[in-house]
Amino acid sequence: MDSKELAKIFKALSNENRLEIYKEIAKLENVDYEQKCECSISELLSCLKIGAPTISHHLKELSNADLITTEKNGKFLMAHINKETLEKIKSFIDLD
């Protein structure tokens, strides 16, 4: 992972609301990265004290930074932690 990609990721996570959203998605997925888990955006609305348009904006920023993926499931928008990006961040932090 190059410096430009890392800067984009850290910039996305430097916003308090985006960091909280990312943490909530991970929490709602039970942080079990070995199985496919998903988080409904409607669940985020009930957890956080920010409006739907604001959450939508932050989800777009997290998605642009490749931290999450989103998909429509019927009338719901589902968010998933991007496990590949997470592993790249882990290996960057673990500079052995």
Side-chain angles (χ1 to χ4, degrees), residues 2-3 6-7 12 18-19 21 25 28-29 32 38 40 42-44 52-53 56 59 64-65 87 95-96:
D2 67 20
S3 296
L6 282 169
R18 284 194 287 270
L19 184 57
I21 290 168
I25 292 170
L28 291 170
E29 287 187 344
D32 188 351
E38 50 192 34
S40 166
S42 61
E43 293 172 26
L44 283 176
S56 178
L59 288 172
N64 287 341
E87 289 303 317
L95 297 172
D96 284 352

Side-chain angles (χ1 to χ4, degrees), residues 40-42 71-78:
S40 166
I41 301 312
S42 61
E71 67 178 288
K72 287 285 253 180
N73 186 359
K75 65 179 183 173
F76 297 102
L77 181 66
M78 308 303 285

